[in-house]
Amino acid sequence: MSEYDLREIRVLELGESVSSAFAARQLADHGANVVKVETSEEGWMRRRGPFPAENSDPERSGLFLALNTSKRSVRLDLSSDAGRADLLSLIDWADILIHDSRPNEAKALGIDAPTLEKRRPDLVTLAISPFGSTGPYANFHATELTVSSGGGWASLCPAATGRVDLPPLKVYGQQCGFMSGVAGAAVAMAIYSTARRTGVGEYIDFSEQAYTASVLEQAIPLYSYTQQVATRYGTRLLIPWSIFDCLDGQLFVVCVEQDQWERLVALMGSPEWSSLEVFATAPGRSENHDLVHGFVQEWLAEKSVLEIYHQMQEHRICAAPVMGPAEMAESEHLLAREFFVDVEHRGAGRLLHLAPAARSETGRQGFSRGAPTLGEHNAEILGGQLPVRTSKPEIQGAAPGASLPLEGIRVADLSWAWAGPFCAMNLAHLGAEVIRFESEGRPDLYRRIPLHPDDVEKTLNTSGMFAQWNQGKKSVALNLAEPQAIELLKDFIDTCDVVVENFATGVMDRLGLGYDTLSKRNPGLIMASISGYGETGPYANYMGYGPAIPPLTGLTMGTGFVGGRPAEMGVSMPDPTAGITMTFEVCAALEKRRESGRGDHLDVSLWEATAVFSAEAWMDYVMNGAEPTPQGSRDPAMSPHGFFPTRGEDLWISIACESEEQWQALADELAPALRDDPRFRNLSNRKLNESELEEELAARTLERERWDLCRALQARGVAAFPAMTSEDLLSDPHLEARGFLETKPHPEVGVRKHTGIPYSLRRRPNGVRKAAPVLGADTSEVLSEALGYSEEDIHALIHSKVLY
């Protein structure tokens, strides 16, 4: 722990979901005092596993152990008056309450927004649930599968199969829950900081469905801007892009830019076929992807996967081996970056854990203790007086309708593509003034992606990919090839609180913009560096585009159809994952700066931020030596659990039965005869006969309309939801009712729908503040306000090509 951690923050966690537990763990990783309320030894996460072989002790559940380090556990009987009184005492003690209750459950417990605002107007509550606390679906039953289906991810997975007959696929693990947990923690952290100063708390109504829908890469702008629906069976625009078989393993390869393709061809010895005109351009390679992939596969078939991986990376070609936890544990790069830490658990002994994702100037955050046993701290916390607050909140007296939490914070956004811009956009959503510095000579990749409306002139301002990920920002057009531009940028950064950058490792230093240089001029500066492999370590200079990261983490190894090959996830999840991880880290660093007066250099790699989300696979490995394998959308603890066809072309519904009661309810709705079928009588039998069960159900769901079936099953308490497409999401009444879909006017493309902010606030403004900027739209305003430049100064800089 650093000298200035967040130990003053008191967090009360009440819930059973991955999202609520991981949100609380983010705060605990930085030293916050987190108390976890548990109500039963049969809690979902303690029953989940993975367990050591033949030992299902709830104190040894791998997922629970991974998500609850550095917390204390209190066991309460919330059906009793005494238990409810203890809960109220803990709420009065807390600065932040994190819960995952649906609205009807929250009201019954007295943790709904009106009740809490009356009792604790200074409390920050993060209510994080599958569909949020308001809207038509708010009380729907849901699991991770439901969120993946309802958020649109499953309809994109696995990517580029060419098989419309195959169902949507859930990615391995609990990815929607992990992502939402980090995002929720970032909002809670930012608002805590301002609530501490003003006394104005907040009720953050966070929807996992909306967050998942907000990270679907090109899917939303593709439909909004061109009316094309992204699918899991379409063709890639960038080729090669696939998983290839090598002599001793599998290798993912992608060439995003033309020069990368040319380097690959050179490495392959410039074979005769590569000179054919059809392979000369990206569109030609896309149209002939089968041929390109066939030639690349032939070349790789006799190569050793690790040898060719390192050789391709040396030639600046993005490649990554498909590997699991065992290979991760031996990685010289992750070992050098101290990504593994031994943790002692009272109930489970010593286990090797994945460390928190971010590094800083003082190193990586650690764990103060292992996950608690059930009710381990009842006597300590409830046996006498609750811990006495060591310092009082700095109440300044503010009325409801307070400003956004990061208002007054200035961010220089030097990033491009997705991970960095996603971080900066979320800082903008929290109220920061975010200014993009970008070049007309080498514009952002997303400005160049040809995703334009047909009815407008195509420019660098009309690509939907850029417009989606840069909402709420300003733009300054600066030519960093000019030395004077570097000096101008340094002067501007002197006025900033945060710099976000995702250049290749070492580029900022070569530009004269490294942290050591900038922090000497501005000691309070927080530099947020996002890269594929991190700022240090033997692979620090390797290329790490988002799609190339899951193969390194075990997630690709565990994703795919039963008995099939590892599959791509359909969304470049590591980019927004690293981005939102950095958003949280920046918010935490800003709070620490209030105490220390010092800034920090934050280092988040796509690899580590994503690997943290592979907790189930990792814990299974350290406990049992196991490696993940493709299991389709099945779940070890639930059956049925997957996607089933409904009436119409490529229309599917997700169904998850968490209990015998839900199975009985499903059978009553679809086929009462199945209820007493000995093959399906209990979970063990259903798992043994899962293929037959899925066939029986599919034959019946195929006759039903997907929304009618969804509502019928939800009414019976079964987690069911259609597999949403981008078209579905952009017309979804629930997302509309929650204000998630944004239609801010843009000067060149007019009004187009974009996904917005996945949470709503009660006492602060909601919604995206402005559309993405036109290139250089704010140059004069920003430089005159921040640096006092006159109109003549700016014209002179344009004339000398420092500004565009």
Side-chain angles (χ1 to χ4, degrees), residues 86-321:
D86 285 337
L87 178 62
L88 290 176
S89 295
L90 287 167
I91 288 172
D92 289 342
W93 163 85
D95 300 305
I96 300 174
L97 167 65
I98 299 174
H99 76 80
D100 60 8
S101 298
R102 292 177 295 168
N104 53 2
E105 299 164 342
K107 188 171 184 179
L109 286 172
I111 55 173
D112 56 303
T115 302
L116 288 176
E117 285 174 358
K118 184 176 180 180
R119 184 180 186 93
R120 283 287 311 281
D122 62 325
L123 182 68
V124 176
T125 299
L126 172 61
I128 186 166
S129 60
F131 293 102
S133 301
T134 62
Y137 314 149
N139 284 306
F140 272 21
H141 300 272
T143 67
E144 170 76 17
L145 178 73
T146 319
V147 176
S148 176
S149 184
W153 191 352
S155 69
L156 302 172
C157 183
T161 64
R163 296 280 304 277
V164 69
D165 58 306
L166 294 176
L169 184 68
K170 174 187 169 294
V171 171
Y172 177 85
Q174 312 290 323
Q175 303 310 308
C176 299
F178 277 107
M179 294 190 306
S180 298
V182 180
V187 185
M189 181 71 255
I191 293 179
Y192 161 79
S193 188
T194 186
R196 176 185 179 190
R197 297 190 301 274
T198 66
V200 180
E202 188 57 82
Y203 196 92
I204 307 160
D205 176 7
F206 193 104
S207 162
E208 294 178 51
Q209 179 210 19
Y211 185 81
T212 303
S214 78
V215 295
L216 297 184
E217 204 167 357
Q218 88 287 356
I220 296 298
L222 180 67
Y223 186 76
S224 180
Y225 280 59
T226 72
Q227 289 70 59
Q228 297 179 64
V229 178
T231 68
R232 62 195 177 282
Y233 44 83
T235 303
R236 297 286 195 192
L237 294 176
L238 301 173
I239 297 295
W241 181 327
S242 191
I243 297 171
F244 299 94
D245 293 319
C246 295
L247 188 64
D248 54 353
Q250 293 176 312
L251 185 75
F252 175 85
V253 179
V254 61
C255 291
V256 172
E257 302 274 15
Q258 179 67 20
D259 63 318
Q260 295 162 17
W261 164 250
E262 292 168 0
R263 288 197 295 274
L264 175 60
V265 166
L267 183 61
M268 295 172 71
S270 300
E272 185 177 348
W273 61 264
S274 66
S275 63
L276 295 175
E277 187 176 346
V278 294
F279 302 135
T281 65
R285 292 191 294 275
S286 180
E287 291 174 11
N288 297 277
H289 61 278
D290 288 342
L291 285 173
V292 176
H293 284 167
F295 286 127
V296 175
Q297 175 58 75
E298 184 179 7
W299 177 69
L300 286 171
E302 298 303 317
K303 308 288 185 184
S304 165
V305 66
L306 289 181
E307 288 181 9
I308 195 62
Y309 160 56
H310 293 300
Q311 188 178 6
M312 292 175 81
Q313 285 284 358
E314 287 169 6
H315 286 76
R316 301 298 293 161
I317 301 162
C318 189

Side-chain angles (χ1 to χ4, degrees), residues 479-551:
N479 181 9
L480 289 179
E482 292 290 329
Q484 191 175 353
I486 300 295
E487 294 307 311
L488 183 157
L489 187 53
K490 287 180 181 177
D491 289 343
F492 182 82
I493 290 172
D494 288 346
T495 74
C496 289
D497 301 280
V498 180
V499 171
V500 177
E501 62 93 8
N502 63 341
F503 287 111
T505 300
V507 169
M508 288 288 282
D509 287 321
R510 291 196 292 274
L511 288 172
L513 297 170
Y515 177 71
D516 288 345
T517 298
L518 297 178
S519 63
K520 286 176 183 175
R521 300 166 56 119
N522 180 359
L525 182 69
I526 295 164
M527 178 174 280
S529 296
I530 304 173
S531 58
Y533 287 76
E535 295 289 296
T536 62
Y539 305 165
N541 291 314
Y542 279 16
M543 295 184 73
Y545 291 127
I549 298 302

Side-chain angles (χ1 to χ4, degrees), residues 410 433 435 474 476 492 495 778-791 794:
R410 175 174 286 166
E433 179 192 23
I435 300 98
K474 299 176 181 179
V476 171
F492 182 82
T495 74
D778 308 287
T779 301
S780 295
E781 174 197 332
V782 168
L783 296 185
S784 62
E785 289 185 1
L787 298 179
Y789 281 23
S790 68
E791 189 174 335
I794 291 169

Side-chain angles (χ1 to χ4, degrees), residues 4 18 48 110 113 117 144 158 181 202 245 317 319 398 412 465 500 581 590 656 701 709:
Y4 297 98
V18 168
R48 174 73 186 178
E117 285 174 358
E144 170 76 17
E202 188 57 82
D245 293 319
I317 301 162
M465 284 292 276
V500 177
T581 298
L590 286 168
T701 60
L709 180 56

Side-chain angles (χ1 to χ4, degrees), residues 609-726:
T610 304
V612 169
F613 291 9
S614 68
E616 284 179 290
W618 177 260
M619 297 305 286
D620 202 12
Y621 166 71
V622 297
M623 288 177 168
N624 302 308
E627 296 273 23
T629 58
Q631 296 298 316
S633 296
R634 293 176 180 175
D635 186 273
M638 290 181 261
S639 182
H641 188 276
F643 292 90
F644 299 89
T646 60
R647 192 166 64 235
E649 183 179 356
D650 194 31
L651 299 177
W652 303 80
I653 191 169
S654 62
I655 299 175
C657 288
E658 302 175 86
S659 66
E660 291 304 313
E661 292 76 15
Q662 290 179 359
W663 158 245
Q664 295 289 331
L666 173 65
D668 284 342
E669 179 65 33
L670 287 177
L674 296 180
R675 186 178 50 202
D676 300 317
D677 189 316
R679 295 174 297 170
F680 314 133
R681 188 164 292 151
N682 54 41
L683 177 61
S684 296
N685 287 348
R686 292 196 297 278
K687 293 300 293 181
L688 286 172
N689 300 286
E690 201 150 18
S691 294
E692 293 92 329
L693 173 62
E694 289 167 350
E695 290 174 6
E696 293 277 9
L697 293 175
R700 291 159 174 84
T701 60
L702 191 56
E703 302 170 355
R704 303 287 293 269
E705 195 278 327
R706 57 178 182 158
W707 281 106
D708 286 346
L709 180 56
C710 168
R711 294 185 181 95
L713 291 175
Q714 286 285 348
R716 291 178 179 269
V718 177
F721 204 86
M724 303 284 271
T725 66
S726 53

